[in-house]
Amino acid sequence: MSPATPSGIYNPQTPGAALEQGIIIPEWLQPDVEIQVTDAYENPEYSNQSGVVRAISGGMCSIYLYEEEQEVTLPADSLGRVPPAKQDKVKVVGGNCDRGGIGYLINIDGEDGIVKITATEQLRILPLQFLAKISV
């Protein structure tokens, strides 16, 4: 680690390096996505806390935990997705249409969400599994 790099997780890495290590990063796990630390995480101090993904490198994620008011580094497999609720700001993280788009979840209809995409102001009906709540 060099003085210009605050943490090793920000170093560029070969694409697919996490796969080489046997770690599968879920499609929804991206910067700015809100997460919850699962019960399975080895440190009970962080279990069930909510936060936001700041960066991902290999199988490790830099997470800002709201309750702790600090950034911590946690393994990707210890994080769960926070389901978006009506009026939440969301990112499209799945499917082919509008992937990477940002918008607001206007309504929920069963397993689908009605999203107003910010860039185009279009309404889209997308499976909730394709949406991730993001930090405002």
Side-chain angles (χ1 to χ4, degrees):
M1 189 164 38
S2 70
T5 306
S7 170
I9 67 166
Y10 295 104
N11 291 339
Q13 191 171 48
T14 305
L19 291 176
E20 292 171 9
Q21 298 170 10
I23 299 166
I24 298 173
I25 306 291
E27 190 173 44
W28 61 264
L29 191 57
Q30 302 176 17
D32 300 325
V33 169
E34 293 203 7
I35 58 86
Q36 183 168 11
V37 181
T38 65
D39 286 336
Y41 182 58
E42 61 205 36
N43 185 343
E45 175 184 4
Y46 299 142
S47 289
N48 297 312
Q49 286 197 38
S50 297
V52 60
V53 178
R54 295 289 189 219
I56 302 168
S57 181
M60 301 301 287
C61 300
S62 175
I63 306 293
Y64 178 82
L65 292 175
Y66 299 131
E67 188 177 317
E68 300 291 321
E69 295 183 348
Q70 69 175 355
E71 262 186 46
V72 297
T73 302
L74 300 173
D77 61 1
S78 69
L79 306 174
R81 183 171 63 126
V82 174
K86 188 175 173 181
Q87 303 303 321
D88 280 346
K89 190 173 185 180
V90 295
K91 183 175 187 177
V92 181
V93 295
N96 296 325
C97 183
D98 298 309
R99 184 184 209 128
I102 305 291
Y104 288 89
L105 184 57
I106 304 300
N107 206 349
I108 296 174
D109 184 16
E111 297 295 315
D112 295 325
I114 301 169
V115 178
K116 184 173 185 178
I117 303 296
T118 306
T120 62
E121 296 196 10
Q122 291 183 331
L123 292 179
R124 296 282 195 205
I125 298 174
L126 300 166
L128 287 173
Q129 68 187 26
F130 289 179
L131 304 175
K133 180 178 178 181
I134 59 173
S135 180
V136 179

